Amino acid sequence: MPERRTVALVTLGCARNEVDSEELAGRLEADGWELVAAAEDADVAVVNTCGFVEAAKKDSVDALLEANDLKGHGRTQAVVAVGCMAERYGKELAEALPEADGVLGFDDYTDISDRLQTILSGGIHAAHTPRDRRKLLPISPAERQSVSDVALPGHGAPADLPEGVAPVSGPRAPLRRRLDGSPVASVKLASGCDRRCSFCAIPSFRGSFISRRPSDVLNETRWLAEQGVKEIMLVSENNTSYGKDLGDIRLLESLLPELAEVDGIERVRVSYLQPAEMRPGLIDVLTSTPKVAPYFDLSFQHSAPDVLRAMRRFGDTDRFLELLGTIRSKAPQAGVRSNFIVGFPGETEADLAELERFLNGARLDAIGVFGYSDEEGTEAATYDHKLDEDVVAGRLAHVSRLAEELVSQRAEERVGETVHVLVESVDGEEGAYGRGLHQAPETDGQVLLTSSEGLGVGRMVEAKVVGTEGVDLVAEPLQGSLGYGEEATG
């Protein structure tokens, strides 16, 4: 009988990383590893790192050090770094953090079982040498689908497993193993990005944009529904580009209704949309298709024209407000969220005032605000006219306060509305918590249902908003509403 081997996956960063971790889990389980939830119960702790901004990198290093502290005090024998930070820095991270027993890049994912076994057995697998992953795929999007030897985390299929190894969940299952029992799961629509925003390093380590085939997305969604998932969230670096390398830039418009018809799926949500790439047809599908959430995660970043041009982005306050007006004319209760960078090199007081004008007029449900800092390897890091750190910090604090006030006001506007809430947790004393159509997991607010009677995780409930707590809503379940007081059905 083979020796018992246990592994825990610790995931940091975005929903895309969560999908990658579940693919790694599927690969490892198929090759005989036992997955455990806690790092202290594992022979190997695999930390899926984030390499986006300094705060995320620090969290990743802290997680690696925390896992390393377990060695010698329990079962844990090795700590391995994977994910974006490991891919981006490779040998540099390995040298700076000798506590990690291995630093593996995306190209190691296919052979993750062998890599971990080597490390667990006391061997050394050399940390990979980082490279610009944009150069691995053809410049022409139409030629990318023919390339089969480039690692694309989250795109794995059972055929990618070593010969003689089959997915534990059966032949129909994707190369994925769920790591929690949440009724919500992310599905990768694509990987990489062709945009060249001057502040962003992601394309250099995630590579050029490449879509997954619709059949793979549909099959994975059907499998997730069989696992009890009620909501899927489509994730990538840029969902509005989906299909451009498959010969149809409008492919998302035809895929969404198909996903919504999958048995057991109650809600389909699309994340990360580029304002400059929004199409009338896509807006129509997002606002009128049953079970597709009228939810718009729009990457505005700023609204002052000069700042946007320096960011190598497009648009301005009035065009952005016009886009929001179009969306709300079709779906008045549509949810909209966005992130913004303040203190970008050359940003003037007038630019900041223009951003405030947009925020005041946009009525966004959730707002993320970040202070600019140089990201190595980006164009913006070479710019002149950098603002002093205390100026950036001051603007960040000011706009953050404004954002908090505005999203609270937007929540108050929803008092009296009827919301459809997917229940995600139930507390006998406090009630049940879930999210409405306008709220995505982790990034947005939530709904507190005043009664948990008859409710369970995964139920879809119709409720009336009766109050707010900041960005969060308080809602009263309606008797006889969808799923209320009855057993949920697939």
Side-chain angles (χ1 to χ4, degrees):
M1 183 177 223
E3 184 180 353
R4 180 173 180 252
R5 302 176 299 174
T6 56
V7 59
L9 286 131
V10 179
T11 307
L12 294 98
C14 64
R16 300 185 293 275
N17 258 16
E18 293 170 7
V19 176
D20 295 351
S21 284
E22 294 198 347
E23 181 185 294
L24 289 173
R27 291 180 181 278
L28 290 164
E29 188 175 58
D31 205 35
W33 290 78
E34 180 182 340
L35 299 164
V36 296
E40 57 263 31
D41 297 327
D43 296 315
V44 184
V46 177
V47 180
N48 192 347
T49 61
C50 178
F52 181 37
V53 293
E54 285 305 318
K57 296 175 199 173
K58 181 181 183 304
D59 288 344
S60 296
V61 170
D62 288 346
L64 287 162
L65 292 174
E66 184 177 336
N68 181 71
D69 288 342
L70 298 172
K71 291 191 291 189
H73 300 287
R75 187 180 182 96
T76 308
Q77 300 173 53
V79 176
V80 175
V82 298
C84 290
M85 189 177 181
E87 172 65 36
R88 185 176 181 184
Y89 296 104
K91 290 181 178 179
E92 182 182 344
L93 177 62
E95 292 169 0
L97 199 70
E99 291 86 351
D101 299 286
V103 175
L104 306 180
F106 297 150
D107 294 330
D108 291 304
Y109 283 20
T110 302
D111 300 308
I112 188 67
S113 178
D114 288 344
R115 300 288 187 266
L116 296 192
Q117 185 59 59
T118 295
I119 293 168
L120 183 60
S121 301
I124 296 175
H125 181 74
H128 84 109
T129 301
R131 51 182 172 168
D132 188 337
R133 297 192 74 85
R134 290 172 293 192
K135 298 178 180 179
L136 302 183
L137 289 168
I139 294 175
S140 168
E143 298 176 7
R144 292 174 189 166
Q145 291 287 331
S146 63
V147 178
S148 59
D149 59 349
V150 174
L152 299 170
H155 291 226
D160 299 328
L161 288 170
E163 188 174 350
V165 177
V168 174
S169 303
R172 284 189 58 199
L175 192 50
R176 180 171 181 172
R177 200 271 203 185
R178 296 219 68 205
L179 293 173
D180 62 38
S182 170
V184 184
S186 295
V187 175
K188 268 207 176 169
L189 197 59
S191 286
C193 186
D194 288 341
R195 300 182 71 88
R196 293 295 179 263
C197 302
S198 63
F199 56 83
C200 183
I202 289 176
S204 67
F205 56 84
R206 278 290 184 179
S208 298
F209 183 89
I210 186 165
S211 305
R212 290 182 75 194
R213 293 195 172 276
S215 57
D216 292 337
V217 178
L218 277 163
N219 287 338
E220 187 164 331
T221 299
R222 293 187 185 106
W223 179 80
L224 288 167
E226 292 171 357
Q227 310 301 304
V229 169
K230 299 299 180 184
E231 175 180 327
I232 62 162
M233 186 167 72
L234 300 177
V235 299
S236 76
E237 280 74 22
N238 178 9
N239 282 328
T240 32
S241 283
Y242 180 68
K244 74 175 187 178
D245 52 323
L246 293 170
D248 185 1
I249 191 60
R250 294 177 177 81
L251 196 54
L252 184 55
E253 285 93 309
S254 58
L255 177 60
L256 285 171
E258 292 187 73
L259 292 169
E261 291 175 0
V262 171
D263 286 344
I265 295 298
E266 296 292 338
R267 181 182 293 167
V268 178
R269 186 183 303 277
V270 184
S271 69
Y272 213 82
L273 303 166
Q274 286 289 345
E277 297 180 27
M278 289 300 296
R279 306 174 290 275
L282 180 55
I283 294 174
D284 287 342
V285 170
L286 287 169
T287 55
S288 65
T289 307
K291 295 189 178 181
V292 173
Y295 175 80
F296 294 81
D297 175 13
L298 292 162
S299 174
F300 289 121
Q301 303 298 347
H302 212 284
S303 72
D306 289 346
V307 175
L308 286 168
R309 302 307 171 267
M311 289 178 169
R312 297 207 178 278
R313 297 179 65 82
F314 306 93
D316 57 47
T317 295
D318 293 331
R319 277 197 276 181
F320 290 163
L321 291 176
E322 182 181 357
L323 172 61
L324 295 178
T326 298
I327 290 168
R328 290 180 174 131
S329 70
K330 297 175 181 294
Q333 293 186 356
V336 187
R337 82 163 325 275
S338 193
N339 292 328
F340 299 89
I341 298 172
V342 297
F344 195 78
E347 181 190 63
T348 65
E349 290 286 352
D351 293 329
L352 192 67
E354 185 68 2
L355 174 58
E356 291 182 43
R357 181 169 82 89
F358 172 69
L359 292 174
N360 278 296
R363 297 169 55 232
L364 302 178
D365 292 279
I367 300 171
V369 187
F370 300 88
Y372 173 81
S373 62
D374 285 340
E375 274 296 309
E376 57 193 286
T378 63
E379 182 183 354
T382 69
Y383 285 178
D384 296 327
H385 309 296
K386 300 279 176 63
L387 304 186
D388 290 341
E389 287 185 10
D390 59 341
V391 173
V392 175
R395 292 184 180 184
L396 173 61
H398 171 70
V399 177
S400 295
R401 285 193 299 270
L402 174 63
E404 185 175 352
E405 178 183 336
L406 291 173
V407 295
S408 295
Q409 290 176 6
R410 178 65 181 129
E412 290 169 3
E413 290 179 16
R414 293 191 179 274
V415 173
E417 287 185 2
T418 298
V419 290
H420 291 86
V421 180
L422 177 64
V423 178
E424 295 186 350
S425 66
V426 178
D427 185 306
E429 295 182 0
E430 294 186 16
Y433 288 90
R435 290 175 300 98
L437 289 169
H438 68 288
Q439 297 166 317
E442 307 297 334
T443 58
D444 305 336
Q446 60 183 356
V447 180
L448 167 62
L449 295 166
T450 56
S451 171
S452 60
E453 182 182 353
L455 300 184
V457 172
R459 302 286 292 278
M460 192 70 76
V461 181
E462 195 173 35
K464 182 178 180 179
V465 180
V466 295
T468 65
E469 295 179 359
V471 69
D472 298 329
L473 304 181
V474 179
E476 185 177 286
L478 299 176
Q479 294 288 343
S481 71
L482 177 65
Y484 187 82
E486 303 170 356
E487 286 301 315
T489 57

